[in-house]
C-alpha cells in the first residue's frame, strides 16, 4: 500500500517556530482573608499558571501543535494535565516551585514524534534589584523562555499549513473580543507584527515588499544588506587611512631617532673634548 501523501517529506527544507514556555505566579490572599477562595489547602500561598504560547503576533501555534501535557508535582491530583486546545496552560495553587515536564505533541499531519521540554515553576522573586522591584510592584512573578521548534524536511501537509495565511486568522478573531486579545498580548487591531508569507506562491520566505501590514520583506532585507555592505566598506577605508597614518608616524619617528642619535653623539664628543681641555 503506498504511503499517504501527507507523509511525503520535502527534502532540504527546514521551518522553525518560536514558542514561549513560561509561568506566572501571584500571592494568594492569606488564610482568613474573605477574598481567599474556599477550598484552597491551608498551606498554599500562591496561584500560578504554566503555559505554552506563541510570541506576540507570531502565526498560531495550533497549526503544528496538537496537544500539550504538563506533568506537575506528583502530590497534585491528576498530575499529568492535558490540554487538547489552546490556551495550552494549567492554573493551580501551591506553596513551592518545582520542575514541570512539558510534552509537546505535534499535529498528526507533521508525522513528528512528541518532544519534551522542562520549565521550572518560579514562585519567588528573582533576578537583579530592578527586576525584583518590578515583580514586587506588579505582584506577578513571571518566568519565560523562548524555545525553538524545528521541522526538518517537513511533510508536504505540514509545509502547506506552515506557509498558509490562515495561521494569522486567530489575531482577527481575538480582536473581536478586545479583552481576550489584550490578554493574549496581541495587537488590538488584529494585525500580526511579522510579515505575512506571499499570498500567491506558498513560501516560507519573506514577502517581496513591505507595507503598513508587513514589517519585514525581501526589499527591506536587500536594503539592510546594502547598508551593512556600505558600512563595511567605510570601515575598510578607515582602516586603510589608519594604516597610512601609522606608516607616516613610524617614518617620522625613525628620522627623529636618527637626528637625536646624531645630536647625542655630537654632545658626547663635545663633552669629551671639554673634559680633555679641563684636564690639561
Ligand atoms: C521539591 N520544591 O522539588 C520541592 C517541592 C512542591 C510544592 C515543591 C503543593 C502541592 C500539593 C505544592 O506547592 N507543592 O498541594 O499537592 O522537592
Amino acid at each position: 500500500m503506498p504511503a499517504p501523501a501527507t507523509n511525503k517529506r520535502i527534502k532540504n527544507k527546514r521551518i522553525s517556530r518560536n514558542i514561549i514556555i513560561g509561568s506566572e505566579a501571584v500571592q494568594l490572599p492569606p488564610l482568613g482573608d474573605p477574598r481567599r477562595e474556599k477550598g484552597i489547602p491551608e498551606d498554599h500561598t500562591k496561584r500560578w499558571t504554566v503555559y505554552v504560547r506563541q510570541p506576540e503576533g507570531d502565526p498560531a501555534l495550533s497549526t503544528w501543535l496538537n496537544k500539550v501535557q504538563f506533568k506537575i508535582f506528583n502530590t497534585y491530583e491528576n498530575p499529568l494535565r492535558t490540554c487538547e486546545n489552546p490556551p495550552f496552560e494549567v492554573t493551580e495553587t501551591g506553596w513551592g516551585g518545582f520542575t514541570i515536564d512539558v510534552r509537546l505533541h505535534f499535529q498528526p499531519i507533521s508525522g513528528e514524534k512528541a518532544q519534551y521540554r522542562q520549565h521550572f515553576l518560579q514562585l519567588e522573586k528573582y533576578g537583579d534589584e530592578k527586576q525584583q522591584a518590578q515583580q514586587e510592584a506588579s505582584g506577578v512573578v513571571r518566568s519565560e523562555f523562548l524555545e525553538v521548534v524545528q521541522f526538518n524536511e517537513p511533510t508536504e501537509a505540514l509545509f502547506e499549513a506552515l506557509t498558509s495565511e490562515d495561521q494569522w486568522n486567530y489575531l482577527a478573531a481575538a480582536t473581536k473580543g478586545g479583552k481576550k486579545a489584550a490578554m493574549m498580548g496581541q495587537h488590538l487591531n488584529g494585525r500580526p507584527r511579522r510579515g505575512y508569507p506571499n499570498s500567491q506562491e506558498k513560501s516560507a520566505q519573506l514577502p517581496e515588499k513591505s507595507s503598513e501590514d508587513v514589517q519585514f520583506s525581501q526589499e527591506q532585507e536587500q536594503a539592510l544588506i546594502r547598508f551593512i555592505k556600505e558600512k563595511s566598506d567605510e570601515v575598510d577605508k578607515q582602516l586603510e587611512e589608519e594604516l597610512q597614518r601609522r606608516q607616516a608616524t613610524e617614518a617620522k619617528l625613525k628620522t627623529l631617532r636618527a637626528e637625536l642619535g646624531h645630536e647625542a653623539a655630537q654632545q658626547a664628543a663635545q663633552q669629551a673634548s671639554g673634559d680633555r681641555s679641563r684636564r690639561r
Side-chain angles (χ1 to χ4, degrees):
M1 200 171 70
T6 53
N7 280 353
K8 211 173 144 215
R9 287 181 177 266
I10 306 177
K11 295 265 169 271
N12 303 319
K13 270 231 186 287
R14 178 191 293 168
I15 298 193
S16 46
R17 283 288 183 269
N18 291 333
I19 51 168
I20 291 170
I21 302 185
S23 56
E24 282 179 8
V26 294
Q27 193 73 29
L28 280 174
L31 268 183
D33 188 314
R35 288 169 305 169
R36 187 175 169 112
E37 281 166 49
K38 302 271 169 302
I40 296 177
E42 289 197 357
D43 58 345
H44 287 193
T45 52
K46 312 274 181 187
R47 181 184 304 281
W48 52 258
T49 300
V50 58
Y51 49 85
V52 174
R53 56 181 173 229
Q54 66 265 326
E56 190 185 332
D58 270 20
L61 82 178
S62 47
T63 307
W64 54 272
L65 189 59
N66 182 31
K67 178 168 96 176
V68 178
Q69 288 181 302
F70 298 94
K71 173 77 174 58
I72 62 175
F73 205 67
N74 58 18
T75 54
Y76 283 96
E77 209 178 306
N78 172 31
L80 184 63
R81 306 287 173 91
T82 303
C83 302
E84 307 264 2
N85 293 295
F88 298 113
E89 61 180 42
V90 169
T91 297
E92 263 296 350
T93 61
W95 52 264
F98 52 89
T99 300
I100 297 175
D101 287 324
V102 181
R103 303 182 188 170
L104 307 172
H105 298 270
F106 300 99
Q107 292 293 7
I109 53 162
S110 74
E112 299 285 339
K113 281 186 298 194
Q115 282 188 20
Y116 302 110
R117 297 288 194 278
Q118 287 198 321
H119 178 75
F120 182 75
L121 177 65
Q122 180 71 37
L123 300 186
E124 310 300 334
K125 284 180 289 180
Y126 68 98
D128 60 30
E129 265 177 38
K130 200 172 150 223
Q131 287 170 311
Q132 296 207 17
Q134 198 273 330
Q135 291 158 14
E136 180 75 49
S138 66
V140 182
V141 171
R142 183 177 298 114
S143 167
E144 291 188 335
F145 291 87
L146 192 69
E147 291 270 333
V148 181
V149 177
Q150 280 195 339
F151 300 101
N152 286 318
E153 308 203 330
T155 60
E156 282 176 353
L158 181 66
F159 185 75
E160 178 88 6
L162 288 176
T163 51
S164 147
E165 278 195 24
D166 301 349
Q167 299 172 92
W168 281 276
N169 287 353
Y170 81 102
L171 286 171
T175 322
K176 288 182 189 127
K179 191 170 163 218
K180 195 171 165 219
M183 268 169 55
M184 309 265 297
Q186 277 122 24
H187 283 198
L188 285 173
N189 60 8
R191 209 186 281 146
R193 298 178 80 198
R194 292 266 183 102
Y196 295 94
N198 282 353
S199 52
Q200 301 308 339
E201 198 183 323
K202 300 243 180 238
S203 156
Q205 263 196 328
L206 291 170
E208 264 176 41
K209 285 193 183 285
S210 56
S211 68
E212 208 197 329
D213 279 349
V214 176
Q215 283 200 346
F216 301 106
S217 62
Q218 292 175 41
E219 187 181 53
Q220 280 176 323
E221 192 182 39
Q222 287 308 321
L224 191 63
I225 291 170
R226 274 199 304 277
F227 177 78
I228 292 170
K229 174 95 178 44
E230 271 168 32
K231 290 288 161 199
S232 159
D233 288 350
E234 236 171 72
V235 170
D236 282 348
K237 203 172 143 231
Q238 281 173 9
L239 266 176
E240 180 58 34
E241 284 168 7
E242 206 53 55
L243 189 71
Q244 279 172 9
R245 255 201 293 276
R246 188 181 149 177
Q247 282 170 349
T249 311
E250 274 175 359
K252 205 168 160 191
L253 193 66
K254 210 173 148 193
T255 329
L256 282 173
R257 277 215 181 103
E259 276 173 19
L260 196 66
H262 183 64
E263 269 173 37
Q266 266 187 343
Q267 256 177 25
Q270 265 169 17
Q271 184 137 31
S273 72
D275 285 352
R276 271 196 300 277
S277 52
R278 248 179 270 124
R279 246 185 269 131
R280 272 194 215 134

